[in-house]
Amino acid sequence: MLLDAIILVVTKKVFTRFKALDYKSFAWWLFVWIVILGLFLAPWFVHIQPAATEPYYLWLLLSLVFLAANYNLLYYFGLEYEKLCVVEPFLLFNPIITIVIASLFYADERSWHVYVAAAVAGLALAWAHVHRRHLKLDRHLWAILGFSLLYGLEAVIIKQLLAVYSPLTLYLIRAAMTAVFLWVVEKGKIMRITRRQIPHFLVIAASAIGASTSVYMSYKTVGIGLTMGILLLSPVLVYLASVVYLKEKLQWKNLVASGVIMGAIIWLVIVR
């Protein structure tokens, strides 16, 4: 998806250009700008069912915020300190982790093909990071793997909450509550942003609203598994941008691993 690629590349550019901005402050400001921009669309796209006030859905919403706040910190921590071309294979592995987790909760998402694809993709990812017969992952890549796990759990909760919230409503509530959560965790110690940084946040926030609401709608209409398959265009764009825009050098093992993982996802989408 084009918007996902834009979000990833511009985010990495922000960390590269504004080195004094830490990932915790970045995450908080991003959610604030998402809420600000989203409020302009609220009169037309915000809808909440009365059942949303039931304890079951309130607990789901709190769980969603907890997962979102923590996986965003893991995600931006990994992205701030690691090259985009190195992170991308792990992000590409993310859809398979999400599909596997969804298959554990929803019968319509379950098939043996899911586990075969996950095994193949996992082996390819591990091979790309084996050096002298040892698997070497730094803490930034472990953070990205942690993000993928929490993201998959979040997808399961989102699918249930969409029964009582419209996609934009759920995303804005999630963004607002996550910003509050991060503010409390950081005890209000959030760095200020400059005027030069604001345009970057506007681009990322607008793209995030468009991308996330589209994904939420897809979760609701075609399911989690097929939605993850649709997002295959993003890695190709990200690799091109990392070379052309960020001037990063590609590593052949990461490219091979990405190709294998993409093949596994394509096969999974076709056979399901």
Side-chain angles (χ1 to χ4, degrees):
M1 182 182 286
L2 178 60
L3 291 177
D4 284 327
I6 291 174
I7 294 168
L8 189 56
V9 173
V10 177
T11 298
K12 183 60 180 176
K13 188 65 176 179
V14 169
F15 285 132
T16 303
R17 185 174 182 181
F18 306 105
K19 296 184 182 300
L21 182 65
D22 64 80
Y23 67 95
K24 297 177 183 178
S25 298
F26 175 90
W28 187 83
W29 279 108
L30 177 58
F31 286 120
V32 168
W33 283 108
I34 286 172
V35 173
I36 292 172
L37 294 182
L39 289 176
F40 287 100
L41 302 173
W44 297 277
F45 298 102
V46 168
H47 305 286
I48 303 175
Q49 300 293 332
T53 58
E54 294 177 2
Y56 175 73
Y57 288 111
L58 291 176
W59 279 111
L60 282 180
L61 189 61
L62 289 175
S63 300
L64 175 68
V65 171
F66 177 80
L67 290 172
N70 283 282
Y71 87 53
N72 272 282
L73 289 178
L74 290 172
Y75 173 72
Y76 292 120
F77 172 70
L79 195 60
E80 180 178 5
Y81 296 104
E82 196 61 77
K83 289 183 178 180
L84 197 57
C85 61
V86 176
V87 170
E88 183 56 28
F90 287 81
L91 297 182
L92 188 54
F93 188 55
N94 185 46
I96 291 184
I97 294 180
T98 302
I99 295 170
V100 169
I101 293 175
S103 72
L104 299 177
F105 289 88
Y106 300 114
D108 60 340
E109 302 277 358
R110 194 174 300 148
S111 83
W112 64 269
H113 306 93
V114 170
Y115 306 108
V116 172
V120 171
L123 288 172
L125 191 61
W127 168 79
H129 291 272
V130 169
H131 299 278
R132 297 181 180 178
R133 299 183 180 180
H134 293 284
L135 181 64
K136 296 183 65 175
L137 296 178
D138 60 28
R139 57 179 180 164
H140 309 119
L141 294 179
W142 280 114
I144 294 296
L145 284 176
F147 150 75
S148 297
L149 179 61
L150 297 184
Y151 182 93
L153 292 172
E154 185 201 45
V156 172
I157 295 175
I158 287 172
K159 188 172 180 179
Q160 296 184 57
L161 285 171
L162 288 172
V164 294
Y165 294 100
S166 66
L168 181 62
T169 306
L170 182 57
Y171 187 61
L172 290 183
I173 293 175
R174 169 187 175 277
M177 294 181 67
T178 302
V180 173
F181 182 92
L182 292 176
W183 179 270
V184 173
V185 170
E186 293 302 308
K187 299 179 181 179
K189 297 178 181 179
I190 302 295
M191 297 175 59
R192 292 184 178 182
I193 58 174
T194 65
R195 291 182 179 179
R196 291 175 59 203
Q197 294 168 345
I198 290 177
H200 295 81
F201 277 97
L202 290 174
V203 171
I204 300 171
S207 299
I209 291 172
S212 295
T213 52
S214 297
V215 169
Y216 287 10
M217 290 175 64
S218 186
Y219 282 169
K220 189 174 183 178
T221 55
V222 301
I224 295 173
L226 187 56
T227 300
M228 293 296 100
I230 294 171
L231 300 178
L232 277 176
L233 178 62
S234 175
V236 179
L237 298 175
V238 169
Y239 274 124
L240 288 174
S242 68
V243 175
V244 177
Y245 187 55
L246 299 178
K247 308 302 181 183
E248 295 181 352
K249 292 183 179 180
L250 296 181
Q251 300 176 14
W252 71 272
K253 293 183 75 173
N254 284 329
L255 285 174
V256 172
S258 295
V260 172
I261 296 170
M262 286 182 67
I265 298 175
I266 292 172
W267 173 78
L268 185 58
V269 172
I270 292 174
V271 299
R272 280 169 61 85

